[in-house]
Amino acid sequence: MRALTASAGPALGAAAAVTAVLAGAATAVTTLDTPRAAAATALCDQYAKATTADGQYRIQNNRWGTSAQQCIEPTATGFRLTRADGAVPTDGAPESYPSIYWGCHHADCTPGFTPVQASGSTFRSVRASVDTTYPAAGSATGEWNAAYDLWFDPTPRTDGQNTGAEVMVWLNHAGRPQPIGREVATVALAGATWDVWFGTTGWNVVSYVRTTPTSSLDLPVSTFFDDALARGWVQRSWYLTSVQAGFEPWTGGAGLAVTSFSAGTGPAATPAPDPSPTTTARPAPTVTRAVRPTSGRPICSATPRTDSAGGTGAVQTVTVTNGARARTGWTTVATLPAGQTVTNLWNGTWTQSGRTLTVRNASYDGSLAAGATTTFGYQLAATGSTATPATITCS
């Protein structure tokens, strides 16, 4: 969406922290690479890529979340999703992010691209344009989104996973998919109204969901970056590493197509100031999902407390509160203060890696009605602080 995710990177938003890395953030693999896109040449290998006929952009199948067959057919100015056999639960990450991009995707860069620092004048001139087509209304089109994915990193990264932010711009979506995190505001940008979502999954995922679908969008990349900057989710010192456009399918999606795409530098846009944006605000998120954009299943919250302190033997309890709809299964991920090691835990199953404590429901407390709560507790061997976790998320 990669929220522009999965995503990762999404999608948000993106969301996204899932077994496979997010769409737009697939692990480096050996790919089938067609030097130039040719009509009717299908790309079906998991990470198959092609270069557009003009040599400017890369097209990728990017099927990272399913073993089911997926194929895209490059065209002179984009691609079409011709086969989409997969079907993954809509309360988790999507199957893939078939897409076209300008920039770098895990060390695979388009010709002459250099990451663009958001504080420089060149960034103000970066513009992107996309035109898409969707299957006929009323047909079995599945569940998917159509989204830009803008990736930012604190360094001029050309390989590996970006760690700054993924800014997703949802042009359209079908079915139940929602971005990673929680809806926090509505804003007017680029001549339309957008619902704003925010979540984290190892990096910030900021998603803008158009309230009225569209099949095309042409805008300076700074349009959405400036809004995210005013909210404190990105930084001017960060670098734009890629502009991507494509689709995140959960089920179906054959017939989705990017009919044209362009991205690059042009006349600079007028820099925007950094005040707080004018929006219709919603309560700020307190927790975020640790997956790519999800659908249907509401977010939950996790609130820790210290029951007894005193170094070795300290006991803490976490209350998990469900959202507006019933769910089966929950997971919390906490960042423990330095020096804390969990020695025993009840009412859940757990693993600890470094300072990261992951707790999943036990067999008897995973089903939660709307608004219901459950608790788990654990005992610490603490060599330093016995404070509650610095961060804790629930999904």
Side-chain angles (χ1 to χ4, degrees):
M1 59 145 178
R2 358 162 84 19
L4 301 181
T5 194
S7 325
L12 157 325
V18 289
T19 302
V21 290
L22 301 183
T27 50
V29 295
T30 301
T31 65
L32 173 67
D33 190 350
T34 304
R36 289 290 184 270
T41 301
L43 304 178
C44 298
D45 280 13
Q46 185 173 14
Y47 298 112
K49 291 186 177 183
T51 301
T52 55
D54 60 10
Q56 295 187 64
Y57 311 114
R58 295 284 276 163
I59 300 167
Q60 57 182 354
N61 197 30
N62 203 16
R63 175 176 55 82
W64 54 269
T66 179
S67 59
Q69 186 71 290
Q70 174 180 289
C71 298
I72 63 173
E73 181 180 293
T75 63
T77 55
F79 69 91
R80 179 177 296 276
L81 182 59
T82 58
R83 182 173 180 179
D85 295 348
V88 297
T90 54
D91 61 355
E95 303 168 355
S96 59
Y97 184 55
S99 49
I100 183 171
Y101 70 89
W102 172 72
C104 296
H105 179 93
H106 284 266
D108 186 1
C109 301
T110 53
F113 178 83
T114 300
V116 183
Q117 192 167 26
S119 60
S121 59
T122 299
F123 177 73
R124 312 305 307 179
S125 73
V126 176
R127 194 174 190 92
S129 174
V130 67
D131 290 290
T132 59
T133 59
Y134 312 123
S139 63
T141 58
E143 296 182 284
W144 45 266
N145 69 34
Y148 272 120
D149 214 353
L150 308 178
W151 285 94
F152 294 89
D153 194 84
T155 67
R157 182 185 297 276
T158 59
D159 60 354
Q161 174 59 53
N162 285 209
T163 59
E166 178 185 10
V167 178
M168 296 196 76
V169 180
W170 288 37
L171 283 69
N172 194 5
H173 62 283
R176 293 165 289 176
Q178 295 176 341
I180 186 171
R182 176 176 291 181
E183 185 178 346
V184 298
T186 299
V187 64
L189 292 171
T193 302
W194 309 79
D195 292 329
V196 186
W197 294 65
F198 176 75
T200 59
T201 181
W203 54 90
N204 290 343
V205 182
V206 188
S207 301
Y208 295 88
V209 181
R210 205 174 195 272
T211 57
T212 56
T214 185
S215 60
S216 63
L217 189 62
D218 181 354
L219 77 165
V221 168
S222 59
T223 300
F224 290 94
F225 177 89
D226 287 341
D227 184 79
L229 177 71
R231 300 175 191 279
W233 298 331
V234 297
Q235 298 181 28
R236 282 208 188 277
S237 60
W238 291 357
Y239 293 79
L240 173 70
T241 63
S242 69
V243 176
Q244 307 184 18
F247 310 96
E248 290 182 321
W250 279 258
T251 62
L256 294 167
V258 170
T259 55
S260 69
F261 172 80
S262 66
T265 58
T270 302
D274 293 349
S276 299
T278 301
T279 64
T280 301
R282 292 182 176 85
T286 56
V287 294
T288 55
R289 296 185 59 88
V291 295
R292 190 64 167 176
T294 58
S295 61
R297 192 170 73 177
I299 198 169
C300 58
S301 62
T303 306
R305 72 173 187 268
T306 298
D307 291 337
S308 64
T312 300
V315 174
Q316 295 182 350
T317 299
V318 175
T319 299
V320 176
T321 303
N322 192 25
R325 282 176 281 183
R327 69 164 58 215
T328 301
W330 49 263
T331 301
T332 68
V333 179
T335 301
L336 301 178
Q340 290 188 3
T341 301
V342 174
T343 59
N344 185 33
L345 186 142
W346 48 96
N347 294 342
T349 62
W350 62 285
T351 58
Q352 182 174 352
S353 176
R355 293 172 56 191
T356 301
L357 173 66
T358 302
V359 181
R360 294 178 174 84
N361 60 277
S363 60
Y364 51 81
D365 63 357
S367 296
L368 296 177
T373 63
T374 188
T375 62
F376 65 86
Y378 52 87
Q379 188 172 27
L380 292 171
T383 59
S385 170
T386 56
T388 54
T391 60
I392 183 166
T393 63
C394 179
S395 62

